[in-house]
Each structure stands twice: as C-alpha cells, then as structure tokens.
Amino acid sequence: MSASPDRPQTMDLSDWLLLLLLSVLWGASFFFGKIAVSEWPPLAVVLARVGMAAATLLLVVRLSGLSMRVGGRMWLSFFGMGLLNNLIPFGLIFWGQTQIASGLASILNATTPLFGVIVAHLFGQNEKATGLKLAGVGAGILGVAILMGPDAIGGVSGALLPQLACLAAALSYGFAGLYGRRFRELPPLVTAAGQVSATTMMTIPLVIAFNPPWLLPVPSIEVASSLVGLAILSTAMAYVIFFRIMRRAGGTNVMLVTFLVPVSAILLGSAFLGEALQPRHFLGMTAIAAGLALIDGRLFKAPRTKPA
C-alpha cells in the first residue's frame, strides 16, 4: 500500500504494531551501543554494525529471489540515505555515548519527530506541520523526559558537545525521513540492504584512516555479542521494518518510533528483569500516548455527516 504523494499519510493498526516492534529493536541499540563503545571506538562500532547487517541482508535478498540491480541513480540515493540515516547519526550517537548515559542519549534522540515535523514542513509537500502535530511532538518529548526521570537527565548541565552530537543525529534522522520517500517503489528488503551496503562502503576508508582494524583490541564476549545484536536485530531486521512503515505511512510517522523506544525499554525491564514500574512511568507513558494521538490526528477530527 502506498499513499498518494499529494495527501497526508496515516497509520493503521498493523503499522502501529510494526512501529512498536521497531521501538523494541531500536531501544536495544542504546544498550548494545553503550557496551560496544566501552572497548571499540565509535567509527569501528559503526562499521561492525552496518557491515554485518549488509552481509546478512544481501544474503536474504539473494535467497528471496530479489535483485539489487536497481540502477546507478538509485544506488546514489542509497549512498545519500546511508549518510543521513546511518553514518552521521550512528557515529554521533556512539561518540556521545562514550561520555553520556544511554538514558540521556535516548531522550535527546526522542527529539527526532520534532525535527522530522520541521523538516517535512519546510522541504516536504504533503506533511505540513499543524498545531496538533506540534502539540503532539511537545507532549511526546515531555513524556519521554518524565519517563526517564531525573537520574537520566541529571547530566544535562555538563558534557555539552556529546549532547549536541545526539541532537545533530536526531536532525539527520529528520532529513532521512524526508529523503527516504524516494524508495517507496522498492521492496523494503532491497532498500534496507542498499542503504547499509552503501554505508559500509563509505565507512571502510574512514575506519582504515582513523581506527585501523589491525590495531583494534579483540572484543570481549560481551562486546562481540553486542555488535552482533546491533547488526542483526537493531539494524538488519529493524531497517526492513522501518522502510516498510515508511513506504506505507510516510517519513514523519515512522520517526514517531523514537517516542516509543524508552517505553519499550522500561516495559521490557519490568517484564523480564523484575524492575518495578513507578508512578512517573505511567505518567510519562500517558503523555507519550497523548502526543502520538495528537500527531496522528484522527481522534480529533470532527465526524463527517452524510448529506440528507
């Protein structure tokens, strides 16, 4: 299902369920990334993440009978998407996580829908900002801050550059949401494989220049497992879902996932790690739910009356 370029795109139940699954996969990336950068430099972590994801997705494309022969112009677009959606934000977030907590990084990443709404309004055609959308973005960011609590945002007063790096990553994701519309006619699997393959090709010379692989320490079991999790779960699988949602519901809608990432992390911790849910968690989730409803807009539209 692809929407007409001249009317706004909305999400149905299946899209929301996919968005929830994507939030779980991307929520785990902050955990995996924090472990990985404890031993490897950020650029090397980026290369491991996109390189293993590219190898996995290219194999799946081949086994699925699809083709990566999409033409030179589309491959140039893959490089553009890889830069905006992978290389720049991954590098900035991983570098930021060397100096700030994962909780704070996820809060800063939750500004992505705000940047997405602004970018779509300024440069897009069919996702103009409305009062409801802007109110929804504000409610969502507030909800994430409440959800994570004072411990997560306690370091806001220090480490300014890492925080700015995470905000710049969110801005890059905002542009990626707009740029990614050009892939609507491609199968999501091909688009995902194309962008991570292009990112891998861009990252290899950077890693050789700044972090030669032969000088890197052999990763511990924890770091190696985190790199695999980043590549297979938080990148390969996540981007297939990401491009499926984008194809159906648009770039601004898919970026709402960043509001749900902290929610998923907290609910998973409660379900599997026995972590207690506190009143602020419910308050934060309520604010996020209200923000998502405002951005979606359908609950606030006046019902149409049929002419007599």
Side-chain angles (χ1 to χ4, degrees), residues 22 28 169 190:
L22 182 59
V190 171

Side-chain angles (χ1 to χ4, degrees), residues 124-193:
Q125 296 180 351
N126 67 329
E127 293 185 37
K128 296 300 182 182
T130 64
L132 281 178
K133 279 190 175 182
L134 292 175
V137 169
I141 293 174
L142 176 63
V144 170
I146 295 172
L147 195 69
M148 300 308 294
D151 292 338
I153 62 177
V156 169
S157 60
L160 178 61
L161 283 180
Q163 293 174 54
L164 291 176
C166 290
L167 287 173
L171 175 61
S172 187
Y173 280 136
F175 277 102
L178 179 66
Y179 190 86
R181 297 175 185 177
R182 67 194 63 210
F183 303 113
R184 284 179 183 159
E185 302 306 316
L186 288 181
L189 183 58
V190 171
T191 306

Side-chain angles (χ1 to χ4, degrees), residues 243-277:
F243 285 110
R244 177 177 174 80
I245 300 172
M246 179 177 287
R247 185 181 184 186
R248 292 166 54 93
T252 300
N253 283 327
V254 75
M255 291 307 176
L256 299 179
V257 69
T258 54
F259 286 161
L260 294 172
V261 165
V263 176
S264 299
I266 287 174
L267 291 178
L268 286 171
S270 174
F272 298 104
L273 300 178
E275 297 174 352
L277 288 173

